[in-house]
Amino acid sequence: MKEYQSSQIAGIVGISVATVRKYAQYMEKAGYMFLRNESGHRVFLDKHILLFKEFNGLSKTGNLSLGHIANKMITISGAKRHPIRP
């Protein structure tokens, strides 16, 4: 399984690195857990490319908040939600 950095995901999806971080933060707030490397940076996998493309598409419609989109992405992906820390 190939691993990607934020900058690689940004280039593939056609968004900025800051947007990748922002979407990932919303996903994590909703309970999604990304892998992390030894330095603590997020590690993305092939499955995340489609996730970020879909997230970006939904965000462009302006119909849903980023928080709602993150929840929808978790539901669509079938990912387990991890307990949200207060």
Side-chain angles (χ1 to χ4, degrees), residues 5-52:
Q5 297 174 347
S6 295
S7 60
Q8 293 170 304
I9 292 290
I12 293 167
V13 177
I15 56 179
S16 70
V17 174
T19 300
V20 171
R21 286 191 202 114
K22 180 170 61 173
Y23 291 173
Q25 287 171 342
Y26 273 96
M27 293 288 294
E28 289 171 337
K29 284 180 187 175
Y32 193 89
M33 279 187 60
F34 291 98
L35 298 173
R36 300 269 180 167
N37 64 17
E38 302 82 32
S39 301
H41 298 118
R42 290 179 192 95
V43 174
F44 302 104
L45 307 173
D46 289 324
K47 66 182 180 179
H48 296 126
I49 294 170
L50 186 57
L51 187 81
F52 280 102

